Amino acid sequence: MTTNQSIAHSALTSGLRGFLSDQSLYALCREQLNDVCYLIDQCCQRIQSSGISSDLSSMCIKATMHEETIFQYASTDHRARLAHWVRQYSGCHAASDREAHAAYIMACAVKALGILSDWMREADQKVWSYVSKHPTDWPWSFYCNFVETQIDPRERIEALEQYVLHLEPITSLPCLIDDELTPTADRAIKNAIRKKGGVVSGIGRAQDMTTRDAAITKQALHYLASGMSHRDITSKVHSWLEQEVAKPPAQRPEWIALETEKALSRKSVEAILKRNFVV
């Protein structure tokens, strides 16, 4: 690779990463975006090592445009002619098999990246869709943290699923099994699946906490209805919660998670009651 090619390549990846890192939800997608940026990086190196030309640049663009059609033909072609179909739909008939394969892998990575980029932008916009004025004076870190707390985790899960879906052709097409870039795509897929699992678990924990908080609030309201003073409510509810948690698992209410070993602190109970306007 020549010096000029290295500079061009560096400018492409650094510019892309710079754009993505300016998004408010970048922290949630950093690992997945880095994975596909690295994959794009490796594809660029392979293509540029032969001397990049306008034809090869056009091949990458057209491979992305026609990726689904190329996959449809390549996945049903018993002769494993992915490179043939890339050349056919890109019009770059002089490309070698390795260059054509790199163009297709890059197309998959670009589409996966686009899914997360679109999700970051749309999720941010959705947070502010119900307010008349977008805040402009917040510190950036505070702004990002706020947006992260407002997103719909189910939409994030869907984005991760689509991200994986766009990378899976790289690991499923027979002619790419021995390609040195396939393990990179496989790692990216596995990382995204693990990330999705964490988000799903987070939803479960949030639902458990919501149910628990509702039970605590209900008990506090019961004490209030019985005439108990507001200043005694927190201590009484905390004592009640300790008794419920101390019961054998089979006798516990369903809203207490099986792995719970001790009750919340009095301070945590008070915070829940304040959040629900009981005390």
Side-chain angles (χ1 to χ4, degrees), residues 11 40 151 277:
I40 292 170
I151 63 170
F277 306 103

Side-chain angles (χ1 to χ4, degrees), residues 180-198:
E180 64 266 29
L181 297 180
T182 299
T184 301
D186 186 57
R187 284 193 298 272
I189 289 171
K190 289 176 179 176
N191 286 340
I193 291 173
R194 280 196 297 270
K195 181 70 71 175
K196 173 191 167 184

Side-chain angles (χ1 to χ4, degrees), residues 22-23 43 47 55 95 113 123 160 194 223:
D22 284 340
Q23 309 305 307
C43 291
I47 293 172
D55 285 343
L113 183 149
L160 287 167
R194 280 196 297 270
Y223 288 141

Side-chain angles (χ1 to χ4, degrees), residues 3-55:
T3 301
N4 288 339
Q5 288 170 344
S6 297
I7 293 173
H9 161 70
S10 176
L12 170 66
T13 54
S14 63
L16 183 59
R17 292 172 191 270
F19 167 77
L20 294 169
S21 64
D22 284 340
Q23 309 305 307
S24 61
L25 292 169
Y26 175 71
L28 297 185
C29 302
R30 181 186 290 108
E31 184 178 9
Q32 278 61 59
L33 291 171
N34 282 341
D35 283 344
V36 287
C37 280
Y38 179 75
L39 198 54
I40 292 170
D41 194 22
Q42 297 303 302
C43 291
C44 286
Q45 287 189 27
R46 180 186 294 182
I47 293 172
Q48 290 174 342
S49 65
S50 301
I52 193 164
S53 67
S54 59
D55 285 343

Side-chain angles (χ1 to χ4, degrees), residues 28-207:
L28 297 185
C29 302
R30 181 186 290 108
E31 184 178 9
Q32 278 61 59
L33 291 171
N34 282 341
D35 283 344
V36 287
C37 280
Y38 179 75
L39 198 54
I40 292 170
D41 194 22
Q42 297 303 302
C43 291
C44 286
Q45 287 189 27
R46 180 186 294 182
I47 293 172
Q48 290 174 342
S49 65
S50 301
I52 193 164
S53 67
S54 59
D55 285 343
L56 290 177
S57 297
S58 175
M59 177 179 67
C60 296
I61 295 170
K62 290 181 179 178
T64 303
M65 292 171 56
H66 300 289
E67 183 274 324
E68 290 185 18
T69 303
I70 292 170
F71 175 75
Q72 181 180 355
Y73 280 105
S75 61
T76 56
D77 188 340
H78 66 278
R79 288 181 287 178
R81 296 188 301 164
L82 172 63
H84 164 76
W85 295 112
V86 171
R87 287 189 287 263
Q88 185 78 9
Y89 278 91
S90 68
C92 186
H93 299 287
S96 68
D97 284 3
R98 278 177 55 79
E99 290 166 344
H101 288 173
Y104 181 77
I105 292 171
M106 183 188 291
C108 294
V110 167
K111 284 196 163 187
L113 183 149
I115 289 293
L116 294 187
S117 179
D118 289 346
W119 173 76
M120 288 192 296
R121 184 187 68 256
E122 292 168 4
D124 182 285
Q125 292 174 349
K126 191 173 182 179
V127 168
W128 307 108
S129 61
Y130 302 106
V131 297
S132 58
K133 187 177 180 181
H134 197 285
T136 57
D137 57 347
W138 289 3
W140 181 241
S141 59
F142 180 82
Y143 178 94
C144 294
N145 289 336
F146 176 80
V147 173
E148 287 178 17
T149 65
Q150 303 301 308
I151 63 170
D152 184 342
R154 291 171 179 80
E155 292 179 356
R156 184 183 176 195
I157 289 171
E158 183 179 353
L160 287 167
E161 289 174 342
Q162 290 296 313
Y163 170 95
V164 168
L165 188 65
H166 283 301
L167 292 178
E168 282 181 338
I170 303 172
T171 60
S172 66
L173 286 172
C175 51
L176 293 179
I177 289 176
D178 296 326
D179 195 288
E180 64 266 29
L181 297 180
T182 299
T184 301
D186 186 57
R187 284 193 298 272
I189 289 171
K190 289 176 179 176
N191 286 340
I193 291 173
R194 280 196 297 270
K195 181 70 71 175
K196 173 191 167 184
V199 178
V200 171
S201 297
I203 292 175
R205 289 193 298 271
Q207 290 174 337

